[in-house]
Amino acid sequence: MTSERLSTTALIYVALAGVLAAGGAAVAVDGGNLFSTANLVDMLTRTSLTGFLAIGMTLVILCRSLDLSVGYVAALSSLVAATTMDGAPGNVPLGIAAVLLVSGLIGAANGAIVAFGRVNPFIATLGVGLIIKGYLDTEYKGPAGDVPAIFQQFGYTRIAFVPVSTIVMLCLAAAGIWFLRSTRTGHHMYAVGGNIDVARMSGIRTHRTRITAHVLCSMCAGVAGMLLAARFGTGSAEAYTNLYELDAIAATVLGGTLLLGGRGGVAGTVAGVAILAVLDTVFNVMQIDPFAKDVLRGTIIIAAVALYARRQIDRTARRPRFAAAGTGRP
Amino acid sequence: MQRARSAAAALLGGGTGTVFALLAVIFAIVFAVNPGFFQAASLMAFLKQAAPLVILAAGQYFVIVSGNFDLSVGALVGAQVVIAARLIDGEEARTVPVIGVMLLFGIAVGLVNGLVTTVLKVQSFITTLGMLLVLYGAIRLWTGGAPTGSLSESFRVPGRMGIENVPLLGQVPWALLIMIACGAAAIWLMRTRFGRVLIATGDNDLAAELSGARVDTVRTAAFVLSGLSATIAGILIGGFAGVSAQVGEGMEFTVITAVVLGGVVLGGGQGLVVAAMAGALTIEALFTLFNQLALPASLRPSVQGAIIIAAVAYAARRRMRPAGQTATPS
């Protein structure tokens, strides 16, 4: 089991290396250098925001759930952070606490609606996202709040060529890997995603597990929102228009986590995020039309998932499936 | 008494009947706020505006009931409108050939979605998400960012005009007739062999396949039908509202919401196409109600989100009750 999971993750890192090599070659042919400091910084900077969102998304997808509200939560969190801090360095801890509290509560609401309300996660989190969108549109007509300079460091400082935000993201990823591999709740998440009925009959409190996943996912989105606030220097409701949630889902699935739940992990997700970031940087350096970028991204995501699907078919074929089809989401 | 009770159960029991009850309640509130709404002219205007979403819901229903998602319909609607404007470029003579091209394009997009999902075994969520990105980018790449060209007058007839001077009703919009035709075709289709195989596939694809059903074929056909519905909706929306780069944006979520509101279960195998179309009417009626109540536009998403969650939770609660007794969880 463990070795199988490792080999899937290994495959994704091989894919990342391949994308790096191909991208490097393409840029070199074009007369540039993908591995120059500026480009490396660009690449790593791109990983942090999607990374935060995708790490949280991995947890909910493992539980066979989904979170379409993370973009809205991130936008709301950037406003909560910026207005709570309000330019005073002393308020930074308070701002962080407020963001984690607000985003955690939203996650709890998501989880409760999914678990107790038996609402399909697609609809539940889309609905919660719409509720937040309405609040943001009504309350905030423009940027609000002021982020003190010291907290803006989170968005801009870097050690050598590695941005601080990327280091924080990698620490969070390490915590996520540890959480899934070594804690009871982490193991429960795989069980719930694999087959929720079997998990419940085995004595797992499935509601509690799913709610935990949603709370953690929303808190990750809260951290992403703080990063947005640190980068812009203010809170911005407009952030949700960027469809971050779809990016996060794409990165998670690209990282080998099965959309049906029960298989995958944070290590793969980090590679998925990195693949998307490398592609974006390559497109940027080669000055590919931004619209062509969307076309290429879409194609690459489908192609990559098609490749993983080949492997997963073999594996699921070996497992007996009890009413596996037709339950929950496709 | 027995019949009355079962009728009440059908209306309030969640699932199919509930959406009609909800629709009646919303219409009742609209009537209380503005009795003038039920005059023929404004009712016909409402149906004209609602027609595209209802047609899209019928198309999306096929995909959802077979156990998949189609997230690309919004982008496809936008693409079709832009294609029409660019190819027609104001010349009347080109109208019919261009509509032919659009139908072919819609079928092709549906075919690609279907084949990638069934042959390459990519989750439909990812397939159609990738297609969304590809269509979004490709169309803007083709037009250089902003839509060019213009629609001909005859192209705009189906979306705008109608049969004049009908007794009692005044103008009967073409859009309403097209909507009724599409709805009748969809209902008929679900009563054929194809429809039954489609539902069986969504309910349990393994069992369907072992019983000799062509699971992959019907699923691909469902995507093609969804592509066709997006094309028809595109023709109506283009005629009604004209050309802009934002046409269709976010429509995929609205239409999936509409289908689910109609009691169709995400994951497949349950629900009626009539109810899915009624779900779309309900959403449009809700928007009309917001207008009548002069609700601030920015607050609408919040109310929409809350109502969707409440409706789906209500339906799910009732549906789960009898299942609790049996040993086979669905």
Side-chain angles (χ1 to χ4, degrees):
Chain A
M1 176 76 187
T2 313
S3 65
E4 270 183 71
R5 203 151 69 216
L6 272 180
S7 73
T8 306
T9 311
L11 177 84
I12 293 150
Y13 278 89
V14 171
L16 173 60
V19 169
L20 265 176
V27 171
V29 168
D30 210 38
N33 177 12
L34 183 61
F35 304 101
S36 67
T37 312
N39 286 341
L40 280 176
V41 169
D42 179 58
M43 225 182 283
L44 291 170
T45 309
R46 281 171 197 277
T47 57
S48 49
L49 188 68
T50 322
F52 288 129
L53 296 170
I55 289 168
M57 190 66 81
T58 306
L59 300 182
V60 286
I61 290 184
L62 274 180
C63 290
R64 199 171 187 159
S65 192
L66 194 67
D67 193 345
L68 293 176
S69 69
V70 289
Y72 301 101
V73 174
L76 178 66
S77 299
S78 79
L79 283 162
V80 170
T83 49
T84 313
M85 291 175 191
D86 210 17
N91 284 348
V92 168
L94 186 67
I96 296 175
V99 165
L100 292 180
L101 182 70
V102 169
S103 57
L105 284 175
I106 295 171
N110 275 333
I113 295 169
V114 169
F116 295 115
R118 294 178 191 274
V119 177
N120 185 292
F122 186 98
I123 297 296
T125 56
L126 184 63
V128 168
L130 284 175
I131 293 174
I132 301 171
K133 175 178 154 64
Y135 172 76
L136 291 176
D137 288 354
T138 314
E139 290 295 311
Y140 300 97
K141 307 293 182 210
D146 183 16
V147 176
I150 184 158
F151 193 70
Q152 291 192 22
Q153 303 287 325
F154 178 44
Y156 292 108
T157 320
R158 51 177 201 261
I159 300 165
F161 60 89
V162 186
V164 170
S165 57
T166 306
I167 295 175
V168 176
M169 189 275 286
L170 289 174
C171 292
L172 194 67
I177 294 170
W178 170 81
F179 175 74
L180 285 175
R181 286 204 183 148
S182 310
T183 66
R184 185 186 298 193
T185 314
H187 287 277
H188 285 177
M189 284 182 182
Y190 282 100
V192 167
N195 189 327
I196 191 163
D197 296 311
V198 170
R200 189 174 47 241
M201 288 168 199
S202 313
I204 293 175
R205 293 174 193 267
T206 54
H207 289 346
R208 194 182 283 180
T209 311
R210 292 179 107 183
I211 293 173
T212 307
H214 272 287
V215 168
L216 291 175
C217 175
S218 283
M219 285 168 104
C220 287
V223 176
M226 287 194 268
L227 178 60
L228 283 174
R231 281 199 188 148
F232 296 150
T234 169
S236 163
E238 290 294 295
Y240 67 69
T241 55
N242 295 335
L243 294 181
Y244 290 128
E245 56 275 10
L246 296 185
D247 264 355
I249 294 172
T252 305
V253 174
L254 210 51
T257 299
L258 205 54
L259 206 48
L260 282 169
R263 276 168 196 279
V266 170
T269 299
V270 172
V273 170
I275 289 175
L276 287 182
V278 172
L279 287 176
D280 276 350
T281 306
V282 170
F283 295 154
N284 221 22
V285 173
M286 295 179 71
Q287 294 182 329
I288 288 179
D289 187 292
F291 303 129
K293 248 163 64 175
D294 281 327
V295 177
L296 284 169
R297 272 188 115 180
T299 318
I300 289 168
I301 290 171
I302 294 179
V305 177
L307 281 178
Y308 300 155
R310 298 239 148 268
R311 291 169 56 84
Q312 275 155 0
I313 296 161
D314 298 343
R315 206 179 303 156
T316 44
R318 264 189 274 131
R319 292 194 310 156
R321 287 161 53 111
F322 302 100
T327 55
R329 284 176 300 114
Chain B
M1 187 64 201
Q2 186 73 34
R3 279 187 80 163
R5 197 176 294 160
S6 66
L11 276 184
L12 303 176
T16 305
T18 310
V19 68
F20 292 102
L22 189 61
L23 186 59
V25 168
I26 292 176
F27 271 141
I29 300 172
V30 171
F31 183 72
V33 174
N34 175 16
F37 177 76
F38 284 91
Q39 278 162 7
S42 59
L43 203 58
M44 286 296 143
F46 164 75
L47 289 171
K48 178 159 79 176
Q49 200 174 348
L53 192 68
V54 174
I55 293 169
L56 276 180
Q60 185 74 237
Y61 165 83
F62 291 114
V63 177
I64 289 185
V65 90
S66 75
N68 285 315
F69 277 109
D70 191 350
L71 292 178
S72 67
V73 286
L76 183 54
V77 167
Q80 295 284 21
V81 173
V82 172
I83 287 173
R86 169 107 185 220
L87 291 184
I88 291 176
D89 208 13
E91 300 213 20
E92 294 292 337
R94 293 190 192 158
T95 307
V96 175
V98 169
I99 289 181
V101 170
M102 289 166 68
L103 287 172
L104 285 180
F105 184 68
I107 292 172
V109 168
L111 203 59
V112 171
N113 277 336
L115 290 179
V116 170
T117 305
T118 55
V119 177
L120 299 181
K121 307 281 178 207
V122 178
Q123 296 267 323
S124 59
F125 190 95
I126 298 296
T127 311
T128 54
L129 177 60
M131 183 57 86
L132 183 160
L133 287 174
V134 169
L135 284 173
Y136 180 89
I139 284 303
R140 280 161 178 76
L141 195 61
W142 186 48
T143 56
T148 53
S150 61
L151 300 170
S152 62
E153 277 310 308
S154 49
F155 184 90
R156 303 196 69 162
V157 165
R160 262 189 176 174
M161 306 300 175
I163 304 172
E164 302 292 340
N165 301 325
V166 176
L168 290 177
L169 298 175
Q171 189 211 51
V172 177
W174 289 115
L176 173 61
L177 299 176
I178 294 172
M179 175 181 108
I180 292 172
C182 288
I187 293 167
W188 170 77
L189 212 49
M190 287 315 290
R191 285 168 179 265
T192 61
R193 213 179 101 83
F194 165 78
R196 292 173 200 285
V197 173
L198 201 65
I199 292 209
T201 300
D203 192 33
N204 188 334
D205 53 359
L206 196 60
E209 188 154 19
L210 293 176
S211 322
R214 296 178 183 221
V215 169
D216 287 354
T217 313
V218 291
R219 279 190 165 151
T220 308
F223 277 108
V224 171
L225 287 169
S226 177
L228 268 180
S229 76
T231 310
I232 299 170
I235 294 172
L236 294 182
I237 293 175
F240 182 76
V243 187
S244 82
Q246 280 84 36
V247 177
E249 239 167 56
M251 223 165 182
E252 57 278 356
F253 289 121
T254 315
V255 73
I256 291 176
T257 308
V259 173
V260 173
L261 207 55
V264 181
V265 180
L266 286 180
Q270 271 183 51
L272 295 177
V273 66
V274 186
M277 290 187 284
L281 266 187
T282 308
I283 295 248
E284 289 286 351
L286 199 59
F287 290 152
T288 306
L289 179 62
F290 291 165
N291 273 335
Q292 303 285 351
L293 294 175
L295 203 65
S298 57
L299 251 183
R300 285 173 198 184
S302 290
V303 182
Q304 193 192 345
I307 289 178
I308 295 159
I309 293 177
V312 176
Y314 180 76
R317 185 180 64 92
R318 290 308 186 98
R319 200 168 50 238
M320 283 299 163
R321 229 174 234 178
Q325 300 292 323
T326 59
T328 48
S330 66

